Amino acid sequence: MTEKILDVRNLQVQFQVDDKLITAVDGISFGLKRRQTLGIVGESGSGKSVTALSVMRLVPSPPGVIAGGEILFRGLKEDGSTLEPVDLLQLPEKQSQHYRGSQISMIFQEPISSLNPVYTCGFQLVEAIRQHQAVSKAEARRRAIALLQEVKLIPRDEELEQRHLETLPKRSYQQPRRADIQRQINQQKHAFLDRYPHQLSGGQIQRVMIAMAICCNPAVLIADEPTTALDVTVQATILDLLRELRDARGMSIIFVTHDLGIIAEIADSVAVMYQGKVVEYGSVQQIFTEPQHPYTKGLLACRPRPEQQLKYLPTVSDFMETTIDSAGTTILREKSSTTPPLKSEAELGERLTRLQQRSPLLAVQNLQVLFPVRGVLGQTTRYVTAVNGVSFEVYPGETLGLVGESGCGKTTLGRALLRLVEPTGGQIQFEGRETTTLSGGPLRRLRRDMQMIFQDPYGSLDPRMNIGDAVLEPMRIHTTEANERQRRTRAAYLLERVGLHPEWMRRYPHEFSGGQRQRVSIARALALNPKFIICDESVSALDVSVQAQVLNLLKELQSEFDLTYIFISHDLSVVKFMSDRILVMNQGKIEEIGPAEAIYRSPQKPYTRQLIASIPAGTPPAVRQT
C-alpha cells in the first residue's frame, strides 16, 4: 500500500514566552505513506521535535498551543481496508489517548530520562502493555520478554539453550532434563526484566524504549533523535533494527534527526525544516542528488567525509545568509559556495614528519587504571581494568585522535593524563617531567599547561556563574601577575575569538545554545594559555552545522596558539578530519595506532574495520549503487 497513513496539513504551533508569541512550527505540510520512512531533518530550534510532539498531541500547554492545521490519520480495518481519515487535533483528550500509544507511538530523544530510575525496566514495559491491552500481569511479562527478544536485547530461546549446554561439563553421564533446561532459560529471561535503567548501556536502554514503543503494534512509530550520542556501531545496529521492525510489522516511521547522513541510511522521503518551515520536501534520492535549497546544501556539505581530507569544513553560513528587514521579516539570500581545498597525501606526510622531529610533549608508558568493585559490606571484592598497559607519545602541535566505543576506556585515559583519575600503574611524562608523582602546588602548576574540554558543556559550567566569571575563574586561581582589568580584557578577547560577543559576559549558561556553551568551554580552557588540551567528545551532541563550526574553530586555535590536542570521540569520521594520527582503543587496550589516512585506508585490525564500516555513508543506497 502506498496511500498516506498520516497527512499533516498547514500545521502551526506557537509558544507564549513572556510577552512574546513565538511560532515554532509555521504552516508546514507533509505526508507519511504506509510501510515507509519519512525523515524530518534540521538543526536544533528548527521545529522538528515540536512537529513530532504535535502528532502525538504532547505539546506542553501552557505555554504551547497547536494554533492551526490538520493531522489526518487513516487507520485500517481488520480486513485491511482503509478507514475514514480522523483529524487527531479535533479529538477530545480522552479519545486521543486511544490513538496515542496504540496507533501512534514515540521513541523520545533522551532514553535514560524517559525511564523511571526507581522502577525496573520490566515493570515499566509491563505497565505500558497493560495500559493498552486487557491482559494479566503474567501474560504481560511473557509479551515483554518476547518484545525484548524481538529488539535483540534478550537472545532467542534456541541461543540461550545453546549457551546453557556449552556451560555443562564435557563428560557427563547424565543428560540434562528438558524441563531443567527450560527452567534455566526462563530464569535468565526474567532476570533481565528485573534490571534497572542504570544497569544498562545507552544502546540497551534505547532498545528497551523501542520495545515499549512497539508493544501495542502501532501503525506509526515516531523516532526522535534515537541515535544521538550513540557509538557508530551501536547506531548502525539501531538503524538496522528499526528497518527490520518496519518491514516485519508493516509500520510507518517518522525519523527525526539533525544528521542527513543517518537519513540517507533509513529514509524513503525527507522533509528539511528551517526556522519552523519545511524548506525542501521530496524523495531521499532527490534531496541528496539535486538539493534545491541552500540550507539543504549546507547540511549535506558540513558533515566530515572520511574519504576526503578537507582543510576546513563548509558550514551552512557558506551557502546562505539571513537578514531581518525593518518590518521584522527574515530575508534569506543564497551565496555562491566553493568546495574547500583538499590536503594532499604529500602535505599530510610532510606535516607528520615535521611534527615528529620535535621531542614528545607527552609520553605515556604502560599506563594502567583499575577501579575497585565494592561488596555488600563496602570491602573491595575485585577490580575492573579500565585502561590496560597503554603506551604512546604526543608531539607538540599534533592532534592525536582517540577513538573507540563507549566503555573502551578512552575517557578514563584522558582523565588519567590530567590526574583527574589516579593511575594505578605506569608513567606519564609531560615535557620530560614525570607527572604521576606530583601533588599540591607542582600538580596545580602543571594543570595550567594541561586543560580539558568536557563532553557536556552545560554540566561543566556552573549554572550560578555567568560566562564571564566562568572564563575568569581559572585566571583568578592560577595567575597572580595580572590584575582584574587585564584578566577581563583577556576573557573578552577569548570570548570574541571563539565567536561570542564580549558584551554577553554577564549572561548565564542556560541563556545559550549547546554550540555556544561549547564555545564558552573552549574559551575557559584557553584562559591560562595551555600547551595541551584534551577534547573529550566535545562535539558529539551538536548539530552537524554547529559541529563543523566548532571543529574549524579548534583547528584555527591550534594554529594560532600552537596547541596540542588529544581528540576523543566515537565518531571516526570526525576524528579523521581533526587528527594527524589516530589511536584506536578497545577494552582498555590499544588496537592500533598510526597516521589518520593509513588507519582509514588500510586498517589492520577487525575492530577498526568494524568502526569504519559503521560510519554512515552519507548517500542513499540507490545513489551509492549508481
Side-chain angles (χ1 to χ4, degrees):
M1 297 183 189
T2 57
E3 75 271 10
K4 293 179 182 178
I5 186 173
L6 199 68
D7 194 3
V8 177
R9 300 177 180 176
N10 199 32
L11 178 66
Q12 189 174 54
V13 184
Q14 297 177 329
F15 287 86
Q16 185 71 43
V17 180
D18 298 328
D19 57 343
K20 293 182 179 179
L21 190 63
I22 296 176
T23 301
V25 176
D26 192 3
I28 69 170
S29 300
F30 61 85
L32 175 65
K33 295 181 179 180
R34 296 189 188 278
R35 297 178 179 269
Q36 293 196 352
T37 300
L38 167 70
I40 300 180
V41 67
E43 297 174 282
S44 295
S46 63
K48 57 187 188 297
S49 290
V50 175
T51 300
L53 291 172
S54 301
V55 174
M56 293 287 290
R57 293 278 301 272
L58 289 177
V59 173
S61 177
V65 60
I66 299 177
E70 296 176 303
I71 301 178
L72 302 177
F73 176 76
R74 293 178 173 88
L76 291 177
K77 297 179 182 178
E78 292 184 2
D79 61 1
S81 59
T82 306
L83 291 168
E84 288 297 315
V86 176
D87 187 355
L88 300 178
L89 299 182
Q90 301 302 319
L91 295 177
E93 175 58 28
K94 193 163 185 178
Q95 194 174 350
S96 70
Q97 290 178 4
H98 167 71
Y99 290 89
R100 186 167 55 233
S102 61
Q103 295 290 323
I104 305 173
S105 62
M106 188 167 181
I107 306 167
F108 293 93
Q109 184 170 354
E110 295 285 348
I112 189 64
S113 62
S114 301
L115 293 175
N116 193 322
V118 302
Y119 292 109
T120 64
C121 295
F123 175 87
Q124 297 178 71
L125 186 50
V126 166
E127 182 184 42
I129 293 171
R130 300 188 71 190
Q131 176 73 25
H132 295 280
Q133 302 177 44
V135 296
S136 65
K137 187 175 180 180
E139 174 62 17
R141 284 181 68 87
R142 188 194 66 78
R143 294 188 184 186
I145 290 171
L147 285 165
L148 293 178
Q149 288 181 320
E150 187 175 2
V151 300
K152 302 178 182 179
L153 195 52
I154 297 178
R156 297 287 183 182
D157 287 4
E158 297 80 9
E159 186 178 343
L160 289 171
E161 180 178 348
Q162 183 63 32
R163 290 183 184 180
H164 177 70
L165 292 174
E166 289 174 355
T167 62
L168 296 176
K170 296 293 183 183
R171 296 180 179 178
S172 178
Y173 296 102
Q174 185 176 2
Q175 292 295 324
R177 293 188 305 170
R178 185 72 187 176
D180 292 336
I181 295 176
Q182 192 60 47
R183 185 169 59 253
Q184 290 286 340
I185 291 174
N186 289 336
Q187 287 176 356
Q188 291 182 48
K189 292 191 293 187
H190 284 275
F192 195 94
L193 293 181
D194 296 331
R195 293 189 186 181
Y196 288 86
H198 72 272
Q199 295 176 296
L200 306 181
S201 68
Q204 289 176 321
I205 292 174
Q206 196 62 282
R207 289 173 186 265
V208 173
M209 291 304 303
I210 293 172
M212 196 175 294
I214 66 173
C215 67
C216 296
N217 198 26
V220 176
L221 176 65
I222 302 173
D224 186 10
E225 299 275 12
T227 60
T228 297
L230 292 181
D231 299 333
V232 286
T233 51
V234 178
Q235 172 182 281
T237 58
I238 294 295
L239 294 178
D240 288 340
L241 174 62
L242 289 173
R243 277 191 294 264
E244 291 175 16
L245 291 172
R246 177 195 63 190
D247 297 338
R249 288 172 167 258
M251 293 189 304
S252 302
I253 296 178
I254 295 177
F255 196 97
V256 179
T257 182
H258 63 262
D259 192 343
L260 271 166
I262 295 175
I263 289 293
E265 298 290 320
I266 194 170
D268 300 295
S269 55
V270 185
V272 182
M273 291 192 67
Y274 176 69
Q275 293 187 350
K277 297 179 181 291
V278 173
V279 295
E280 194 156 1
Y281 179 51
S283 70
V284 67
Q285 287 80 10
Q286 174 189 335
I287 296 296
F288 276 81
T289 56
E290 298 178 358
Q292 301 300 311
H293 198 276
Y295 181 69
T296 310
K297 296 176 184 177
L299 287 181
L300 285 168
C302 61
R303 179 172 173 80
R305 301 287 294 272
E307 68 275 10
Q308 297 178 334
Q309 191 63 39
L310 300 176
K311 291 189 176 181
Y312 63 89
L313 291 173
T315 63
V316 171
S317 60
D318 294 325
F319 292 82
M320 54 179 270
E321 64 179 3
T322 57
T323 56
I324 300 177
D325 61 14
S326 57
T329 304
T330 300
I331 301 173
L332 186 149
R333 185 177 69 85
E334 183 172 1
K335 298 164 65 176
S336 57
S337 178
T338 58
T339 303
L342 296 171
K343 291 181 181 177
S344 66
E345 291 189 16
E347 285 181 283
L348 296 173
E350 289 173 6
R351 171 175 165 80
L352 200 56
T353 301
R354 187 173 64 254
L355 290 171
Q356 294 181 344
Q357 288 175 348
R358 303 167 69 180
S359 298
L361 180 70
L362 181 76
V364 180
Q365 290 291 329
N366 199 29
L367 187 66
Q368 190 174 51
V369 180
L370 305 178
F371 289 114
V373 177
R374 308 292 182 185
V376 178
L377 301 178
Q379 77 280 17
T380 300
T381 58
R382 60 188 176 91
Y383 289 90
V384 174
T385 304
V387 178
N388 191 2
V390 170
S391 301
F392 62 93
E393 295 176 336
V394 186
Y395 297 90
E398 181 187 23
T399 299
L400 176 68
L402 183 53
V403 68
E405 296 176 283
S406 295
C408 71
K410 56 186 185 295
T411 294
T412 302
L413 172 59
R415 290 172 180 261
L417 297 178
L418 268 62
R419 297 279 305 280
L420 299 177
V421 171
E422 287 299 328
T424 309
Q427 294 181 322
I428 304 171
Q429 291 187 342
F430 185 78
E431 293 186 316
R433 184 182 183 187
E434 177 63 38
T435 67
T436 54
T437 58
L438 297 180
S439 61
L443 179 60
R444 180 179 296 179
R445 285 190 290 272
L446 173 72
R447 286 180 174 157
R448 293 184 58 172
D449 292 327
M450 304 175 72
Q451 291 289 310
M452 192 167 192
I453 303 171
F454 294 93
Q455 180 173 358
D456 179 13
Y458 194 71
S460 62
L461 296 173
D462 190 333
R464 301 167 299 177
M465 184 181 294
N466 62 48
I467 66 164
D469 287 335
V471 178
L472 283 165
E473 185 181 39
M475 292 185 277
R476 288 169 175 163
I477 293 173
H478 290 278
T479 59
T480 56
E481 59 273 12
N483 57 38
E484 185 68 9
R485 182 177 179 180
Q486 292 171 322
R487 293 175 189 142
R488 285 196 169 274
T489 300
R490 176 163 175 77
Y493 164 73
L494 289 173
L495 288 173
E496 187 174 19
R497 186 64 191 83
V498 300
L500 300 175
H501 295 294
E503 56 265 28
W504 293 351
M505 289 179 67
R506 294 187 178 275
R507 295 187 182 181
Y508 289 84
H510 71 271
E511 299 180 75
F512 294 91
S513 67
Q516 289 173 324
R517 283 196 291 266
Q518 196 61 279
R519 290 169 184 266
V520 174
S521 298
I522 293 171
R524 178 183 168 92
L526 293 171
L528 298 174
N529 198 22
K531 300 175 182 177
F532 175 69
I533 297 179
I534 296 175
C535 305
D536 184 15
E537 297 277 11
S538 52
V539 297
S540 62
L542 299 179
D543 295 334
V544 286
S545 55
V546 179
Q547 179 187 88
Q549 295 171 17
V550 173
L551 293 177
N552 288 338
L553 173 64
L554 289 172
K555 283 210 163 190
E556 291 173 14
L557 295 173
Q558 181 177 45
S559 177
E560 180 178 341
F561 296 102
D562 193 27
L563 296 171
T564 304
Y565 293 142
I566 286 184
F567 193 90
I568 301 173
S569 178
H570 62 259
D571 189 339
L572 206 147
S573 60
V574 171
V575 169
K576 183 177 178 295
F577 169 75
M578 286 294 298
S579 306
D580 299 294
R581 290 185 300 145
I582 293 178
L583 186 157
V584 182
M585 282 192 73
N586 183 25
Q587 296 182 352
K589 296 181 178 180
I590 295 178
E591 284 283 326
E592 58 182 304
I593 184 171
E597 195 67 25
I599 292 289
Y600 178 75
R601 299 290 180 190
S602 305
Q604 302 301 306
K605 297 296 182 70
Y607 179 76
T608 309
R609 290 195 286 269
Q610 180 187 0
L611 287 179
I612 294 172
S614 301
I615 301 172
T619 53
V623 176
R624 292 200 293 272
Q625 291 169 5
T626 56

